[in-house]
Amino acid sequence: MTFTTVLFYILAAVLVIAAFRVITARSPVTAVLHLILAFSNAAMLWMLLGAEFLALLLVLVYVGAVMVLFLFVVMMLDIRMDTMRQGMKTYLPLGLVIGLVLVLEMSFVLGSTWYGSGPQAPVAGDYNNARALGEVMYTQYVYAIEVGAALLLVGMVAAIALTLRRRRDVKYNDPVAAVRVRAKDRFRMVNMPAQSDRAQAKRDAANGVAAAPQGEKE
């Protein structure tokens, strides 16, 4: 048994334990942390299989962005697990049946792939996994990639449209009105006669207002 095989079994065992803890942890923060651990081990397994680009993509996108975002959201929402667990026993049998069906389907797919895969294809020393993946994605599966990109764009626009509600207590800035503004609408010249302190003192004396001391003048 080689070192790569031993490392594969260790990473696979940690991955299974972390995935099990994701669905059994009482705290949502603990579940998210175990999910980060599961993604990290999956990235290491992909690295062992030679898929370096997918491994780095999993770490950068999921572990570095999505899971950290989930962790911050869960910590800020202060989710009460007692309220979430209400009615869990009612849907537990249906959930177990669906989980069993999914496990059987994955077992059949993995079994057929494992027994019919054959030996590993030989690759050259200068083989570039990222380039090969890019060529396959944008040549053989280019329409599927375009459809997926369009679906993600539509989902993003729909999420923004559903969450960006117009509030009355917020002042909005209209860019069109800001561009069309004219100088005479914002700035007005007023011609006022000049006034001096002596003239003001005379006017105050005429009106019967006592002059303020020199030290109290503003």
Side-chain angles (χ1 to χ4, degrees):
M1 183 177 292
T2 61
F3 174 75
T4 305
T5 306
V6 175
L7 186 61
F8 172 80
Y9 283 114
I10 293 175
L11 294 176
V14 175
L15 176 60
V16 172
I17 295 173
F20 181 76
R21 285 292 296 161
V22 170
I23 61 176
T24 58
R26 293 182 176 272
S27 174
V29 178
T30 305
V32 173
L33 291 176
H34 281 90
L35 188 57
I36 294 175
L37 179 61
F39 280 145
S40 302
N41 282 271
M44 295 178 187
L45 289 175
W46 282 355
M47 189 73 72
L48 288 178
L49 296 175
E52 296 87 0
F53 178 76
L54 294 178
L56 294 176
L57 196 65
L58 182 62
V59 172
L60 293 176
V61 176
Y62 284 93
V63 179
V66 178
M67 286 297 103
V68 175
L69 178 63
F70 282 0
L71 182 60
F72 281 126
V73 169
V74 168
M75 292 175 65
M76 288 188 297
L77 287 180
D78 192 15
I79 301 175
R80 297 183 178 274
M81 296 304 299
D82 299 335
T83 306
M84 294 184 62
R85 293 181 183 275
Q86 293 179 358
M88 182 178 178
K89 294 182 179 180
T90 305
Y91 302 100
L92 184 60
L94 180 60
L96 292 176
V97 172
I98 296 175
L100 181 61
V101 171
L102 290 177
V103 169
L104 292 177
E105 289 180 352
M106 289 187 292
S107 300
F108 291 147
V109 172
L110 292 177
S112 60
T113 305
W114 178 267
Y115 291 110
S117 59
Q120 186 177 2
V123 294
D126 57 348
Y127 176 74
N128 192 340
N129 181 263
R131 180 177 179 179
L133 181 63
E135 290 178 353
V136 172
M137 287 176 58
Y138 295 105
T139 55
Q140 185 176 356
Y141 299 100
V142 60
Y143 294 109
I145 296 297
E146 291 179 354
V147 170
L151 291 177
L152 291 175
L153 179 61
V154 170
M156 181 179 66
V157 173
I160 294 174
L162 291 175
T163 56
L164 189 61
R165 303 293 179 87
R166 193 168 185 85
R167 297 172 55 184
R168 296 182 178 179
D169 56 343
V170 178
K171 184 177 181 181
Y172 292 92
N173 185 20
D174 190 2
V176 179
V179 171
R180 294 180 179 178
V181 69
R182 295 177 297 178
K184 61 181 182 180
D185 297 335
R186 294 294 184 92
F187 187 76
R188 184 164 57 96
M189 296 292 294
V190 179
N191 188 11
M192 298 181 63
Q195 296 182 359
S196 62
D197 295 340
R198 185 175 298 178
Q200 184 66 29
K202 291 181 179 179
R203 191 177 296 108
D204 293 340
N207 295 331
V209 179
Q214 187 68 23
E216 297 181 2
K217 288 186 177 180
E218 295 182 356

